[in-house]
Amino acid sequence: MASVAAGYLPILLFLGIALFISGAFVALPMIASRFTGAHKPDAAKLSEYECGFPAFEDSRAQFDVRFYLVAILFIIFDLEAAFLYPWAVSLRGSGWTGWLAMMAFLVELILGYAYAWKKGALEWE
């Protein structure tokens, strides 16, 4: 039973060190800004903002659906780039099966891109 608990000791040490370092990365810059004079709040710094512009309506107002469409399209095509690099690195090992699977994946993404373009999801006023 003691050997099982001893097996978890490196994990606990790693978590403890990680928590300490991440806490230091949060707390030390705030402490340093107090001592160096960088902490000078004014009305502009303390004002509430959302999406880079000041809020001038109720915070529960609905956003235009285009914000969400652009975000979803960005995630889709960002994942495409994330899948392309490992595929290109391992192309020799995967052979023709891997190549055909990636071509099917790319055709599907190109069709999705064409559909989004046709529907006007990429147009911004």
Side-chain angles (χ1 to χ4, degrees):
M1 188 58 95
S3 65
V4 173
Y8 286 107
L9 183 63
I11 297 171
L12 292 174
L13 287 173
F14 178 77
L15 286 175
I17 292 170
L19 286 172
F20 175 76
I21 290 174
S22 62
F25 275 124
V26 171
L28 290 177
M30 291 191 297
I31 294 169
S33 71
R34 298 279 182 171
F35 289 122
T36 61
H39 179 75
K40 295 179 182 173
D42 59 5
K45 286 184 181 179
L46 296 176
S47 66
E48 297 177 359
Y49 65 92
E50 204 171 285
C51 300
F53 55 86
F56 51 87
E57 293 180 1
D58 185 20
S59 63
R60 292 174 292 231
Q62 292 182 347
F63 282 98
D64 194 356
V65 73
R66 287 177 292 187
F67 287 115
Y68 303 109
L69 286 175
V70 169
I72 290 170
L73 289 172
F74 172 76
I75 290 171
I76 289 170
F77 293 109
D78 188 45
L79 285 176
E80 173 189 357
F83 284 135
L84 281 175
Y85 182 73
W87 168 76
V89 170
S90 66
L91 182 58
R92 256 184 221 168
S94 61
W96 283 103
T97 306
W99 188 82
L100 289 172
M102 185 53 74
M103 291 304 114
F105 177 69
L106 289 175
V107 166
E108 183 181 352
L109 282 172
I110 290 170
L111 289 173
Y113 179 72
Y115 177 78
W117 192 345
K118 183 180 178 190
K119 288 293 186 179
L122 303 174
E123 294 176 9
W124 201 264
E125 294 176 4

